[in-house]
């Protein structure tokens, strides 16, 4: 089949292997063609579990080919991002690539020549939002036939979604997966010059590509990927299928990136991974863990280092010891628990019990007495009993979470939990979510009251959304603080005395030379 035929069939490509000898910048779609299969496999957990032994290489030779550097001259792009910080950061990379291709960013959809939807597959409602947005874009595409509409991110990794887009949203020109971001210049070129749909979704992750350009959102806080993928296979979660196996970036590359950000004046970095505690487990040549990485972060002259997200199973004593050093390692830990029932945790394949989680919390609190813990919780997992839900409620109280992201379980095609029968009605799930949220809100409000009259360190991010005369920023424990102050402190860390505590934010007054009690 020649290139044209392949394109016109608009088939979904899968890659068998990505070990291609040429530098990335010289590769064309044809170089990958031998790796493509012509049929698409739905997410398959058994296959995914067998992926551990494949070697990942790191590439430092990404370049935009010369003939693609001016494709975007005089044109604009808009990327809409759904879902987690990983997606936000992927958007920064795609913005970097498009900018190097000559495109300019816009926030006005009608002005855009390229609209990309960077999607999330974690729950059904995230997907519905994207389908809604695709519907909204249809009239614009009819008005502007040259507009390129693309769908990328986690939804693109799912067969059912790609099929639905192909059938019901004919105005989409480009679909590409989470492992294909570095191929964006080639994909745009193909979409630009051909009238056929361009679909490129690799079911297997590629190598790590280090030097992708980025346009970061702001100059104060930055995201830094430390690893990609997830091998935990929680039974409800689609991520191990959409993001591939765990691959850690080399420590020297991460350290260099953070040092550069510090030198550029960034005040805070958040280290990103689906399960940062598994960082380094895939290294064969060095013994270097997440604790080692955090220890190295501690030595870098940047005021704040956060990380997200942790899996309790891999949260070891060495890490606790390193975090207890404090300094730029902040005393806020997001530690998703998902459920307070050992039986539900077992069925979720979380690999820890309620007691083990509580023991971990005890150790963390002992080592870091002022620690703030936040979490993620799923209610209404298939066949969750009232008693098991109550165990979640008591665990939330016992740990004293100061906030939590709470979700109703959403079945995801291809995950083991989705194949289970579920005897919990949606009304019941909603009732449980409501009760859980009431409890979390109470705990959040109580924790905020503690701040009355105290002085906290606030990293000032800018004007508050509601009032341009008010500044807004975040404490070390990630609480929003609004206060009046000069615009010159934007980007700095200042002391603010709290005068009013609400459930989700604090109001205060800027002070100088006061003792910090944060
Ligand atoms: N249904 C509901 N919530 C989910 N999460 C992940 N998968 C699902 C699902 N199928 C939640 C988990 C995870 C967070 C990012 O999203 O709580 O920690
Ligand atoms: Fe999903 Fe997180 Fe579990 Fe990985 S650890 S499977 S990303 S919930």
């Amino acid at each position: 089949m020649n290139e044209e035929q392949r394109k016109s069939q608009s088939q979904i490509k899968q890659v068998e292997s990505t070990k291609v000898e040429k530098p990335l910048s010289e590769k064309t779609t044809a170089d990958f063609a031998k790796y493509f299969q012509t049929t698409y496999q739905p997410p398959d957990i058994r296959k995914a579990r067998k992926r551990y032994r494949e070697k990942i290489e790191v590439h430092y030779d990404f370049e935009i080919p010369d003939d693609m550097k001016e494709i975007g001259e005089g044109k604009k792009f808009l990327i809409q991002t759904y879902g987690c910080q990983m997606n936000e950061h992927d958007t920064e990379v795609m913005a970097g690539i498009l900018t190097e291709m000559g495109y300019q960013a816009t926030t006005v959809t009608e002005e855009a020549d390229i609209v990309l939807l960077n999607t999330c597959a974690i729950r059904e409602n995230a997907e519905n939002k994207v389908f809604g947005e695709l519907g909204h874009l249809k009239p614009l595409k009819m008005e502007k036939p040259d507009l390129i509409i693309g769908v990328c991110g986690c939804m693109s990794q799912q067969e059912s979604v790609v099929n639905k887009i192909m059938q019901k949203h004919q105005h989409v020109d480009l679909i590409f997966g989470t492992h294909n971001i570095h191929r964006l210049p080639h994909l745009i070129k193909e979409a630009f010059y051909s009238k056929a749909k361009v679909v490129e979704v690799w079911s297997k992750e590629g190598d790590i590509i280090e030097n992708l350009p980025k346009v970061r959102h702001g100059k104060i806080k930055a995201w830094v990927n430390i690893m990609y993928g997830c091998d935990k296979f929680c039974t409800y979660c689609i991520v191990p299928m959409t993001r591939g196996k765990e691959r850690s970036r080399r420590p020297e590359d991460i350290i260099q990136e953070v040092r550069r950000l510090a030198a550029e004046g960034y005040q805070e970095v958040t280290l990103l991974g689906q399960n940062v505690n598994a960082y380094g487990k895939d290294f064969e040549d060095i013994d270097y863990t997440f604790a080692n990485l955090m220890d190295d972060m501690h030595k870098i002259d940047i005021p704040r280092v956060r990380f997200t997200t942790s899996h309790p199973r891999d949260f070891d004593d060495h890490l606790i010891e390193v975090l207890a050093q404090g300094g730029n390692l902040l005393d806020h830990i997001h530690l998703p628990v998902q459920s307070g029932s050992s039986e539900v945790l077992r069925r979720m394949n979380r690999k820890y019990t309620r007691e083990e989680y509580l023991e971990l919390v005890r150790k963390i609190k002992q080592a870091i007495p002022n620690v703030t813990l936040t979490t993620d919780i799923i209610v209404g997992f298939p066949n969750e009993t009232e008693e098991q839900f109550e165990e979640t409620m008591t665990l939330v109280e016992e740990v004293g979470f100061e906030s939590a992201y709470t979700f109703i379980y959403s079945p995801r095609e291809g995950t083991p939990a989705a194949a289970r029968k579920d005897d919990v009605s949606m009304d019941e799930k909603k009732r449980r979510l409501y009760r859980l949220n009431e409890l979390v809100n109470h705990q959040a409000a109580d924790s905020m009251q503690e701040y009355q009259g105290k002085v906290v360190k606030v990293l000032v991010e800018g004007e508050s959304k509601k009032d341009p005369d008010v500044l807004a920023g975040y404490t070390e424990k990630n609480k929003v603080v609004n206060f009046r102050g000069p615009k010159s402190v934007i980007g700095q860390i200042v002391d603010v005395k709290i005068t009013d505590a609400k459930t989700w934010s604090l109001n205060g007054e800027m002070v100088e030379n006061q003792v910090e009690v944060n």
Side-chain angles (χ1 to χ4, degrees):
M1 193 192 301
N2 68 27
E3 184 70 1
E4 276 318 302
Q5 285 166 326
R6 193 185 52 69
K7 254 188 305 191
S8 65
Q9 284 203 354
S10 290
Q11 268 169 332
I12 300 155
K13 307 162 193 172
Q14 278 199 306
V15 74
E16 276 294 298
S17 155
T18 54
K19 304 290 179 293
V20 181
E21 314 71 36
K22 282 185 191 176
L24 283 168
S25 55
E26 288 171 23
K27 282 190 280 180
T28 65
T29 313
D31 287 311
F32 291 93
K34 59 183 167 179
Y35 300 107
F36 299 150
Q37 293 173 351
T38 48
T39 51
Y40 181 95
Q41 307 287 315
D44 182 336
I45 193 155
R46 268 172 303 176
K47 270 200 192 145
R49 279 181 195 279
K50 285 188 191 143
R51 64 195 183 190
Y52 295 96
R53 276 193 212 104
E54 288 142 36
K55 200 165 158 30
I56 295 288
E57 280 171 20
V58 185
H59 295 265
Y60 296 90
D61 62 352
F62 175 86
E63 252 180 51
I64 312 252
D66 283 344
D67 64 327
M68 299 179 194
K69 279 188 180 149
E70 282 161 21
I71 287 184
E73 286 295 301
K75 300 205 184 85
K76 295 189 175 166
F77 75 88
L78 184 149
I79 310 176
Q80 288 203 22
T81 314
Y82 302 81
C84 65
Q85 290 100 327
M86 197 70 72
N87 262 16
E88 297 274 357
H89 190 46
D90 284 350
T91 289
E92 294 182 336
V93 171
M94 291 191 283
I97 294 175
L98 290 170
T99 304
E100 290 206 355
M101 291 175 73
Y103 287 95
Q104 271 188 329
T106 177
T107 50
V108 183
T109 315
E110 290 70 23
E111 278 184 3
D113 300 281
I114 296 187
V115 175
L116 298 180
L117 306 187
N118 188 7
T119 64
C120 169
I122 203 120
R123 282 170 293 274
E124 195 185 353
N125 57 2
E127 292 195 354
N128 289 343
K129 277 190 212 157
V130 170
F131 285 118
E133 187 54 30
L134 283 178
H136 292 148
L137 288 170
K138 198 171 178 178
L140 190 62
K141 175 76 181 178
M142 288 169 75
E143 238 174 71
K144 270 176 88 170
D146 289 338
L147 170 69
I148 294 176
I149 298 179
V151 178
C152 54
C154 288
M155 276 170 73
S156 320
Q157 294 291 141
Q158 294 173 282
E159 183 197 25
S160 54
V161 171
V162 176
N163 286 342
K164 187 167 167 185
I165 295 173
M166 303 286 267
Q167 284 159 13
K168 297 204 177 147
H169 299 276
Q170 298 275 334
H171 56 294
V172 171
D173 306 276
L174 172 61
I175 303 174
F176 59 101
T178 56
H179 310 309
N180 306 68
I181 290 178
H182 64 285
R183 300 260 311 134
L184 191 56
H186 303 269
L187 301 175
I188 296 276
K189 189 181 165 193
E190 259 190 72
F192 192 71
Y193 289 115
S194 90
K195 292 289 160 226
K197 275 192 209 320
V198 177
V199 182
E200 188 176 286
V201 181
W202 296 348
S203 63
K204 252 186 210 167
E205 59 285 320
D207 294 335
I208 292 180
I209 297 155
E210 265 308 323
N211 60 330
L212 292 169
K214 297 174 190 102
V215 174
R216 294 191 187 270
H217 180 74
K219 297 252 167 263
I220 302 169
K221 302 203 293 194
W223 285 303
V224 175
N225 266 132
I226 64 164
M227 62 184 300
Y228 306 92
C230 180
D231 286 341
K232 277 285 177 278
F233 293 103
C234 301
T235 55
Y236 51 81
C237 188
I238 193 71
V239 169
M241 268 78 86
T242 61
R243 291 274 171 178
K245 73 168 180 166
E246 285 171 358
R247 292 100 75 205
S248 303
R249 284 180 71 196
R250 302 295 298 183
E252 58 276 18
D253 293 330
I254 299 170
I255 292 167
Q256 187 193 44
E257 184 172 347
V258 175
R259 284 212 184 111
R260 267 197 201 142
L261 289 165
E264 285 169 30
Y266 281 87
Q267 300 290 303
E268 179 177 309
V269 289
T270 302
L271 307 184
L272 289 181
Q274 305 296 345
N275 168 18
V276 290
N277 307 79
Y279 175 79
K281 287 184 192 255
D282 53 324
F283 292 146
E284 285 172 3
D285 56 335
I286 49 169
D287 193 8
Y288 187 92
T289 63
F290 184 56
N292 297 124
L293 182 68
M294 289 308 278
D295 205 21
D296 279 333
M297 292 294 123
H298 181 66
K299 295 173 196 145
I300 298 178
D301 188 15
I302 189 156
R304 293 179 171 193
V305 180
R306 298 183 192 277
F307 58 90
T308 194
T309 190
S310 298
H311 192 295
R313 166 78 184 213
D314 297 321
F315 210 110
D316 59 22
D317 292 350
H318 185 200
L319 178 61
I320 297 176
E321 196 186 303
V322 169
L323 295 180
Q325 299 174 93
N328 62 358
L329 309 182
L330 304 183
D331 51 5
H332 168 213
I333 299 174
H334 187 70
L335 194 60
V337 65
Q338 312 299 359
S339 168
S341 150
S342 294
E343 172 54 21
V344 174
L345 289 170
R346 191 188 61 73
R347 284 193 274 124
M348 287 177 164
N349 192 30
R350 290 292 288 178
K351 301 188 178 86
Y352 55 85
T353 61
R354 172 192 177 94
E355 291 69 33
E356 283 164 349
Y357 185 90
L358 288 172
E359 174 56 16
L360 174 61
V361 166
R362 190 195 60 73
K363 280 201 253 175
I364 293 174
K365 285 183 175 172
Q366 192 179 32
I368 313 168
N370 205 22
V371 73
T372 286
L373 291 168
T374 56
T375 200
D376 292 351
I377 298 171
I378 297 176
V379 300
F381 188 72
N383 306 324
E384 178 192 62
T385 64
E386 182 65 27
E387 252 172 28
Q388 288 164 341
F389 169 69
E390 289 300 338
E391 287 185 80
T392 297
M393 296 288 279
T394 55
L395 181 125
V396 168
E397 271 180 293
E398 207 169 322
V399 176
F401 293 117
E402 292 192 13
S403 78
Y405 294 105
T406 57
F407 312 102
I408 289 181
Y409 166 72
S410 173
R412 306 283 68 211
E413 186 201 359
T415 61
R420 289 190 190 148
K421 273 192 144 181
D422 183 1
D423 63 7
V424 191
S425 71
M426 187 45 85
D427 278 353
E428 181 54 32
K429 290 179 197 236
K430 285 185 183 160
R431 194 189 63 81
R432 288 180 193 170
L433 183 70
Y434 182 83
R435 279 192 56 208
L436 176 61
N437 285 344
E438 289 269 282
L439 176 62
V440 171
N441 291 354
H442 259 107
Q443 291 187 185
D446 286 352
S447 72
M448 293 302 240
Q449 285 308 318
E450 308 265 306
Y451 287 95
Q452 283 282 9
K454 290 191 176 162
V455 177
V456 289
K457 295 236 172 269
V458 177
L459 172 54
V460 190
E461 290 193 18
E463 295 165 3
S464 117
K465 280 187 197 125
K466 287 188 196 143
D467 182 349
D469 292 334
V470 172
L471 297 176
Y474 286 83
T475 70
E476 292 183 350
K477 291 166 179 290
N478 224 11
K479 315 274 187 200
V480 188
V481 180
N482 295 302
F483 64 100
R484 282 179 197 278
K487 303 262 191 285
S488 57
V489 298
I490 292 175
Q492 293 177 23
I493 295 175
V494 297
D495 287 343
V496 176
K497 183 169 184 178
I498 301 306
T499 52
D500 185 18
K502 304 182 173 178
T503 306
W504 299 114
S505 67
L506 301 163
N507 292 339
E509 288 162 1
M510 205 173 120
V511 289
E512 273 159 39
N513 305 325
Q514 298 227 17
V515 186
E516 175 209 344
V517 286
N518 188 21

